[in-house]
C-alpha cells in the first residue's frame, strides 16, 4: 500500500463537527423496539422477563404464530387454545366480553355448567361486564339455571357458527404475525451491512454491545520473523511513531510530515471506511509527530509533536477534540492516557513530565527531577505510580498523586563512567513488580522497583550494536530489541536466551510496536516504509 507523499491530499485538522454525513434518518417507534424484545423473551422462554417488560411498558406483543390457525381455532370452538392465546394479547374490553360471553353460552349448551360458572363468576373480564352491563350478565346466570335451554334462547336472531365467525373476524383484527427471531435477524442484517461498508472486517469477532470488531488472541506466543506486509510512504517522508489500537484492529502512524494516519491491521491498507480518510482528509500537525497513543477503550488517539503541542482525536470521525498548544517548551516525546481516559501523561525534550486535563487542557500535575530528555513515560501499578525513562541515564518511579519521586535507579553500565541514555521502560505482564529497561547499549535489563537486575538480555560480540527501541510480547514470553543496525533480536524473557535475529529495518531504525493480541510487530526507520512481521 503506497501512501502518497506530497500529493493532493487535503490537510485537515479536525475542523468543528468532524466530517459531514448524509442527512438521511430513519424514524423507529419505541413501541416496535419493545415488541421485538418481547418476541425474543417469548421465543427463549423468558416468561418472567416477558411479563415484567409487558407490564412496565404497557405494550403487548399481540402476535400469533398463524392467523389462519387462530381463526380456525375460534371457528371450530377450540376454546382452551383460544383463551390461552388471548390471555397474552391486549384486546379491547368489548371484544373480550363478546368472546367470554359466547364461550359461556357454548359451555351452557354443552351442559359444561361448572366451566361456564367458572368463566362467568371468576374471570376479570366477566366481573367488568357485571359492573358495566348487569342485565347482560344476569341473562347468562339465568340461562345456566334452566333445566332445558333451546339454541334460539342462547343465540337469538343468529346461530352459533355465525357468532363464532363474527368473533373470529373481530379478534383477527387485533393480532398480527411476525417472522420468527426478528431481533437476531435485524442484528445480523446490521452487521452484514457494516461488513459491506467496510466498517467491520470479515471474519472478526464482534463486540455487539459496543458495535465494534474485536481481535482474537493468538493461542501461543511465537517470534514474528516473516515479513507479512509493507506500508510505503512518499519519498521524503517516514514514520516517527506508531501504535496498534487496544483491540488490534487498526495501526496508527505519525509521520515526519505531520500526518496522523489509520491503517487496517488486517490488510495494512489505509482505512478507507473512515469517511475523512476516504475523502483524502487526514488528522494533521503542523510539524513532525513524535509520539502517539490510544486510549484504553480505543476510541481516542493522542499525538504529540516536535513543537511541544498535544492533540487528542476521535479517530473514527477524525475530529480533534482538544489541542494543547505549549504543552511543553520542546518536542513531546511520549504520551499516555490515564486509565479513565480523562487525563494525558506526557514527557518531553524539556525534561519535564506533565499530566494534562482533557476537558480543561490545563496542566494538572508536574513531575520534575530528570536532568535531560524524558524519552518514555507511562502509568504504572494501576495508575498509582508513573514510570519514566530519561537520557540522564536513569529510570524514575513517581507517586502519581503527590508527584514525589519514590525511587530513582540506573541500569548497569558496561564501562565505568558510561551514562547510557534510557530509551524506554516496559511493564512485565507476569509480574507487576518487574519492568524491562532499554537503554542505548547492547544490553537490556529486567529490573525490580528496587532497582535490582533480575535478568539481562545481551547481544554478544565486540561489534554488537546498541539498542534503539524495545517492546514486550503480549503475555511477556519475549522481549524484543531493535538494534542500530536494523536487526530485531528476540530474547526469551524467562531465560534471557537470544532466540531469533532478523533484519527488519532499512536505513537508520527508529522504533517498533507489538500487536496487542497477535504475534505481529511493526518496525519503522528513516526509510519511507513500515514493515509488518508475523509468524
Amino acid at each position: 500500500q503506497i501512501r502518497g507523499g506530497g500529493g493532493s491530499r487535503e490537510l485537515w485538522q479536525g475542523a468543528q463537527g468532524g466530517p459531514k454525513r448524509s442527512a438521511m434518518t430513519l424514524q423507529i417507534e419505541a413501541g416496535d423496539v419493545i415488541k421485538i424484545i418481547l418476541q425474543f423473551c417469548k421465543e427463549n422462554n423468558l416468561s418472567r422477563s416477558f411479563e415484567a417488560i409487558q407490564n412496565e411498558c404497557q405494550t403487548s406483543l399481540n402476535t400469533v404464530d398463524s392467523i389462519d390457525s387462530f381463526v380456525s381455532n375460534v371457528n371450530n370452538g377450540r376454546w382452551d387454545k383460544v383463551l390461552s392465546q388471548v390471555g397474552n394479547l391486549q384486546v379491547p374490553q368489548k371484544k373480550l366480553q363478546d368472546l367470554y360471553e359466547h364461550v359461556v353460552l357454548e359451555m351452557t349448551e354443552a351442559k359444561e355448567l361448572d366451566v361456564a360458572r367458572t368463566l362467568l363468576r371468576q374471570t376479570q373480564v366477566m366481573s367488568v361486564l357485571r359492573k358495566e352491563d348487569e342485565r347482560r350478565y344476569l341473562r347468562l346466570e339465568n340461562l345456566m339455571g334452566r333445566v332445558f335451554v333451546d339454541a334460539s334462547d342462547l343465540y337469538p336472531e343468529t346461530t352459533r357458527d355465525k357468532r363464532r365467525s363474527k368473533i373470529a373476524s373481530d379478534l383477527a383484527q387485533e393480532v398480527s404475525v411476525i417472522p420468527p427471531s426478528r431481533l437476531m435477524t435485524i442484528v445480523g442484517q446490521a452487521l452484514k451491512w457494516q461488513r459491506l461498508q467496510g466498517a467491520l472486517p470479515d471474519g472478526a469477532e464482534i463486540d455487539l454491545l459496543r458495535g465494534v470488531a474485536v481481535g482474537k488472541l493468538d493461542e501461543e506466543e511465537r517470534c514474528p520473523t516473516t515479513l507479512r506486509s509493507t506500508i510505503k510512504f512518499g519519498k521524503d517522508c517516514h514514520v516517527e511513531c506508531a501504535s496498534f489500537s487496544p483491540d488490534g484492529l487498526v495501526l496508527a502512524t505519525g509521520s515526519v510530515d505531520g500526518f496522523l494516519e489509520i491503517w487496517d491491521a488486517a490488510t495494512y491498507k489505509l482505512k478507507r471506511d473512515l469517511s475523512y480518510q476516504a475523502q483524502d482528509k487526514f488528522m494533521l500537525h503542523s510539524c513532525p509527530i513524535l509520539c502517539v497513543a490510544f486510549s484504553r477503550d480505543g476510541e481516542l488517539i493522542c499525538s504529540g509533536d516536535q513543537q511541544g503541542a498535544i492533540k487528542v482525536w476521535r479517530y473514527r470521525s477524525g475530529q480533534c477534540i482538544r489541542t494543547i498548544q505549549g504543552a511543553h517548551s520542546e518536542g513531546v516525546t511520549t504520551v499516555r492516557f490515564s486509565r479513565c481516559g480523562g487525563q494525558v501523561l506526557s514527557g518531553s525534550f524539556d525534561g519535564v513530565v506533565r499530566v494534562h486535563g482533557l476537558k480543561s487542557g490545563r496542566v494538572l500535575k508536574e513531575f520534575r527531577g530528570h536532568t535531560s530528555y524524558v524519552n518514555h513515560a507511562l502509568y504504572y501499578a494501576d495508575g498509582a505510580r508513573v514510570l519514566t525513562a530519561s537520557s540522564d541515564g536513569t529510570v524514575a518511579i513517581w507517586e502519581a498523586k503527590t508527584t514525589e519521586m519514590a525511587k530513582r535507579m540506573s541500569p548497569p553500565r558496561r564501562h565505568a563512567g558510561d551514562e547510557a541514555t534510557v530509551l524506554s521502560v516496559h511493564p512485565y505482564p507476569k509480574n507487576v513488580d518487574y519492568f524491562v529497561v532499554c537503554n542505548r547499549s547492547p544490553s537490556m535489563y529486567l529490573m525490580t522497583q528496587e532497582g535490582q537486575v533480575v535478568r539481562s538480555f545481551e547481544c554478544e560480540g565486540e561489534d554488537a550494536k546498541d539498542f534503539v527501541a524495545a517492546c514486550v510480547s503480549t503475555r511477556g514470553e519475549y522481549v524484543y530489541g531493535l538494534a542500530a543496525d536494523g536487526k530485531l533480536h528476540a530474547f526469551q524473557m524467562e531465560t534471557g536466551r537470544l532466540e531469533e535475529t532478523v533484519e527488519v529495518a532499512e536505513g537508520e531504525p527508529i522504533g517498533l510496536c507489538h500487536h496487542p493480541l497477535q504475534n505481529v510487530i511493526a518496525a519503522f526507520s528513516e526509510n519511507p516504509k513500515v514493515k509488518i512481521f508475523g509468524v
Side-chain angles (χ1 to χ4, degrees):
Q1 171 70 17
I2 297 179
R3 179 263 213 184
S8 59
R9 295 178 302 170
E10 184 173 345
L11 310 186
W12 187 55
Q13 302 193 47
Q16 295 290 332
K20 294 183 179 179
R21 297 175 183 252
S22 169
M24 183 181 70
T25 58
L26 294 174
Q27 296 294 328
I28 300 175
E29 294 292 335
D32 291 339
V33 176
I34 298 299
K35 289 179 180 179
I36 290 174
I37 296 172
L38 286 172
Q39 185 200 37
F40 178 84
C41 292
K42 182 180 179 181
E43 290 178 337
N44 290 275
N45 298 317
L46 304 174
S47 56
R48 282 191 284 183
S49 298
F50 181 93
E51 292 175 8
I53 295 171
Q54 188 168 253
N55 293 336
E56 185 171 350
C57 299
Q58 292 296 300
T59 300
S60 176
L61 192 56
N62 270 32
T63 62
V64 292
D65 296 333
S66 167
I67 290 182
D68 291 340
S69 177
F70 179 70
V71 169
S72 174
N73 287 336
V74 177
N75 285 329
N76 289 282
R78 302 186 189 100
W79 301 120
D80 54 339
K81 293 183 179 180
V82 173
L83 294 179
S84 176
Q85 288 178 298
V86 169
N88 294 320
L89 305 175
Q90 281 189 347
V91 179
Q93 191 68 24
K94 182 181 182 305
K95 293 185 179 182
L96 281 177
Q97 290 171 354
D98 290 343
L99 169 65
Y100 274 73
E101 179 187 39
H102 183 79
V103 175
V104 170
L105 291 173
E106 285 205 18
M107 294 300 103
T108 301
E109 182 182 20
K111 299 299 182 181
E112 296 283 350
L113 298 180
D114 289 341
V115 176
R117 289 190 183 96
T118 299
L119 288 174
L120 183 63
R121 299 171 182 175
Q122 298 181 21
T123 59
Q124 185 178 3
V125 173
M126 301 312 283
S127 295
V128 173
L129 176 65
R130 184 174 188 174
K131 295 178 181 178
E132 293 180 348
D133 193 343
E134 187 176 10
R135 182 178 178 182
R136 184 177 172 188
Y137 179 87
L138 292 176
R139 173 179 173 269
L140 296 175
E141 285 277 15
N142 178 265
L143 289 171
M144 285 191 299
R146 295 184 185 181
V147 176
F148 175 78
V149 182
D150 189 77
S152 61
D153 295 328
L154 294 170
Y155 317 110
E157 300 180 4
T158 186
T159 65
R160 181 184 63 185
D161 289 342
K162 286 183 179 180
R163 281 195 60 133
R164 284 181 178 180
S165 179
K166 175 69 167 56
I167 291 171
S169 175
D170 290 343
L171 292 178
Q173 296 174 11
E174 302 298 328
V175 299
S176 60
V177 175
I178 60 176
S181 304
R182 284 297 296 152
L183 178 61
M184 303 309 293
T185 299
I186 291 171
V187 170
Q189 289 172 341
L191 294 177
K192 184 177 180 181
W193 172 253
Q194 285 186 290
R195 280 202 171 97
L196 289 173
Q197 296 299 304
L200 294 174
D202 289 335
E205 295 183 8
I206 307 301
D207 183 336
L208 197 58
L209 192 61
R210 294 171 56 212
V212 297
V214 292
K216 187 176 181 180
L217 183 66
D218 282 345
E219 294 182 0
E220 179 185 359
E221 288 204 336
R222 297 164 59 192
C223 297
T225 58
T226 304
L227 181 63
R228 294 299 185 189
S229 188
T230 301
I231 303 174
K232 297 181 180 180
F233 292 75
K235 181 180 178 181
D236 298 324
C237 178
H238 67 263
V239 167
E240 284 284 343
C241 55
S243 178
F244 285 99
S245 60
D247 57 17
L249 296 178
V250 299
L251 174 69
T253 59
S255 305
V256 71
D257 60 1
F259 282 90
L260 178 58
E261 292 163 296
I262 307 298
W263 308 85
D264 190 324
T267 62
Y268 293 99
K269 293 182 179 180
L270 195 65
K271 200 164 175 57
R272 290 290 183 181
D273 58 289
L274 298 176
S275 59
Y276 60 98
Q277 292 194 157
Q279 300 170 31
D280 285 335
K281 298 178 180 180
F282 295 85
M283 298 178 283
L284 178 71
H285 284 251
S286 59
C287 60
I289 299 174
L290 303 183
C291 53
V292 62
F294 280 89
S295 60
R296 196 178 181 190
D297 63 5
E299 294 300 317
L300 302 179
I301 296 180
C302 183
S303 50
D305 68 30
Q306 196 174 60
Q307 294 180 353
I310 291 174
K311 292 187 178 184
V312 179
W313 315 79
R314 297 190 189 279
Y315 97 84
R316 297 186 191 278
S317 67
Q319 180 186 10
C320 182
I321 63 171
R322 172 61 63 188
T323 298
I324 307 175
Q325 297 290 356
H328 289 273
S329 60
E330 298 183 43
V332 181
T333 57
T334 179
V335 287
R336 283 291 186 281
F337 281 96
S338 61
R339 289 176 64 85
C340 68
Q343 299 176 0
V344 173
L345 177 72
S346 66
S348 167
F349 288 132
D350 63 13
V352 180
V353 177
R354 294 190 172 112
V355 175
H356 312 267
L358 187 54
K359 288 185 178 180
S360 66
R362 297 178 179 176
V363 176
L364 304 180
K365 294 176 182 177
E366 197 170 78
F367 304 81
R368 290 183 176 270
H370 284 299
T371 57
S372 187
Y373 308 151
V374 174
N375 298 312
H376 199 203
L378 53 87
Y379 284 103
Y380 189 59
D382 291 331
R385 289 185 162 187
V386 170
L387 199 57
T388 59
S390 171
S391 291
D392 63 12
T394 66
V395 173
I397 300 176
W398 313 76
E399 298 295 341
K401 286 186 177 180
T402 64
T403 73
E404 293 181 4
M405 186 184 293
K407 186 73 176 179
R408 187 170 187 163
M409 64 196 78
S410 299
R413 302 172 182 179
R414 297 194 68 177
H415 305 288
D418 285 352
E419 193 174 273
T421 293
V422 182
L423 301 170
S424 59
V425 284
H426 308 270
Y428 180 33
K430 294 186 177 183
N431 191 327
V432 295
D433 294 324
Y434 293 0
F435 47 83
V436 173
V437 177
C438 175
N439 55 358
R440 195 177 291 278
S441 76
S443 302
M444 298 182 293
Y445 302 96
L446 180 65
M447 301 181 67
T448 69
Q449 294 188 45
E450 300 302 318
Q452 297 176 337
V453 175
V454 177
R455 195 165 292 111
S456 61
F457 311 95
E458 300 182 356
C459 291
E460 303 293 341
E462 293 185 1
D463 59 345
K465 303 299 182 182
D466 292 347
F467 289 115
V468 298
C471 64
V472 174
S473 62
T474 303
R475 296 189 183 94
E477 299 291 339
Y478 295 96
V479 56
Y480 301 96
L482 178 60
D485 58 1
K487 292 181 179 179
L488 179 70
H489 301 272
F491 298 90
Q492 286 188 352
M493 186 74 80
E494 292 293 335
T495 64
R497 183 174 69 87
L498 178 63
E499 185 162 311
E500 297 282 356
T501 298
V502 58
E503 188 168 332
V504 299
E506 302 172 23
E508 185 173 344
I510 294 176
L512 73 165
C513 59
H514 197 286
H515 194 284
L517 302 172
Q518 300 172 4
N519 299 309
V520 171
I521 282 179
F524 44 96
S525 66
E526 290 189 354
N527 186 282
K529 296 178 182 178
V530 173
K531 290 187 175 183
I532 312 298
F533 288 82
V535 295

